[in-house]
Amino acid sequence: MKIRIPLTPDPVWPDVIKITIEENQEPLVPVSLAPAPLQVYPAYYKMGIPNSVPECHVRTGVYQRLLQAAQALPAGISLLLLDSWRPYAVQQYLYDTLYDALETRLPNKTATELEQMTREFVSLPSTRVDAPSPHLTGGSVDVTLVDRHGLMLDMGTQFDEASVWSHTHAYEEIAAPDARETEVINNRRLLYSVMTLAGFTNLPSEWWHFDFGNQLWAWYSGAERAVYGATQLDSLENRWRREVEKYSVD
């Protein structure tokens, strides 16, 4: 079933970050081991973004819902995960890069205006316990669809394209879509449908961005609280330290 994409308001960030987080301690898990039709392509690592990681990690609850969404797709179509949990340094790089590009192109804009424009596509970098950036929680995912040949379906814009046409609802506003626009509408509706039916919410300014468990998900789903705060990948050093701490001391 393809759901017509509704016109949804942008998040009111001062209110979003007021939502209580009751961390449930779900670990981050790698998605590259997932069975088809769920595939992984760590886009930022492939692009050479500094400090990006060569794997896509999500919370276990997100992993289960990604599988559910992928399995709901028609035969021959796969769900492709492009980005999920990301280090703070990557969040800062993305924010600064877009902000600088806008500042160069629009020198008459104020700092406040530039920040607002930047936050349309990149969340403010934050490791605050009560207000982490969504992607730092392991609850945000950037996804698209690919065909049986591994080619991405036409979604109207590229992933991470800073354009008004990247807004999830944008193509729904076209009164008489042509053949290509109709294809885009159907592709976006398919992605939106399987993701929302699996329990995700969508960020209205990005057709590719979906959330579960974090403050942004709580804001759009009406949940009383979020269950994912900022998290980190577990390191071998940390695991060894925990094991060593269990040793008895003579």
Side-chain angles (χ1 to χ4, degrees), residues 8 19 196 199-202 211-226:
T8 306
I19 297 174
T196 55
F200 291 96
T201 59
N202 171 249
D211 296 280
F212 179 80
N214 56 24
Q215 288 173 311
L216 199 52
W217 163 81
W219 168 261
Y220 280 113
S221 68
E224 292 184 0
R225 59 188 62 83

Side-chain angles (χ1 to χ4, degrees), residues 5-250:
I5 299 170
L7 178 60
T8 306
D10 292 329
V12 181
W13 287 106
D15 292 338
V16 171
I17 63 176
K18 291 178 183 177
I19 297 174
T20 300
I21 302 172
E22 294 185 3
E23 174 62 56
N24 69 2
Q25 302 301 324
E26 282 183 9
L28 290 169
V29 295
V31 185
S32 62
L33 299 176
L38 178 55
Q39 300 183 37
V40 175
Y41 182 85
Y44 293 138
Y45 181 78
K46 299 291 188 180
M47 293 176 193
I49 300 298
N51 299 298
S52 56
V53 294
E55 174 64 276
C56 289
H57 297 84
V58 298
R59 302 285 192 128
T60 53
V62 174
Y63 179 83
Q64 293 161 357
R65 285 166 176 79
L66 285 173
L67 286 176
Q68 179 182 337
Q71 291 163 358
L73 290 166
I77 303 296
S78 296
L79 184 67
L80 181 64
L81 179 60
L82 298 167
D83 187 48
S84 48
W85 175 84
R86 64 176 66 138
Y88 175 82
V90 174
Q91 187 70 28
Q92 187 71 63
Y93 176 89
L94 296 174
Y95 184 89
D96 290 346
T97 300
L98 181 54
Y99 185 98
D100 291 347
L102 290 168
E103 186 176 35
T104 300
R105 180 68 180 84
L106 305 168
N108 295 326
K109 294 289 185 181
T110 66
T112 299
E113 291 172 326
L114 290 169
E115 177 179 315
Q116 183 177 1
M117 295 175 69
T118 302
R119 293 186 69 175
E120 185 176 355
F121 296 103
V122 183
S123 296
L124 191 68
S126 171
T127 56
R128 283 175 47 184
V129 173
D130 62 336
S133 303
H135 273 282
L136 272 64
T137 69
S140 295
V141 293
D142 296 331
V143 291
T144 190
L145 301 175
V146 295
D147 65 18
R148 66 178 72 252
H149 303 294
L151 297 174
M152 296 184 190
L153 301 192
D154 188 355
M155 292 293 180
T157 69
Q158 296 184 25
F159 162 59
D160 260 358
E161 185 172 322
S163 162
V164 293
W165 290 105
S166 291
H167 288 232
T168 314
H169 178 81
Y171 279 78
E172 299 282 356
E173 296 290 338
I174 300 175
D178 60 24
R180 187 257 175 168
E181 291 164 345
T182 298
E183 180 182 1
V184 170
I185 292 168
N186 287 331
N187 291 340
R188 287 196 185 189
R189 286 181 180 180
L190 178 58
L191 178 62
Y192 182 88
S193 297
V194 297
M195 292 296 288
T196 55
L197 289 173
F200 291 96
T201 59
N202 171 249
L203 180 62
S205 58
E206 300 177 355
W207 58 260
W208 56 84
H209 181 111
F210 293 85
D211 296 280
F212 179 80
N214 56 24
Q215 288 173 311
L216 199 52
W217 163 81
W219 168 261
Y220 280 113
S221 68
E224 292 184 0
R225 59 188 62 83
V227 294
Y228 300 152
T231 190
Q232 292 286 338
L233 291 177
D234 198 11
S235 67
L236 179 61
E237 178 184 0
N238 287 338
R239 294 206 304 270
W240 279 350
R241 286 183 182 278
R242 290 196 299 270
E243 291 302 315
V244 170
E245 288 172 359
K246 297 176 184 177
Y247 295 168
S248 58
V249 179
D250 294 333

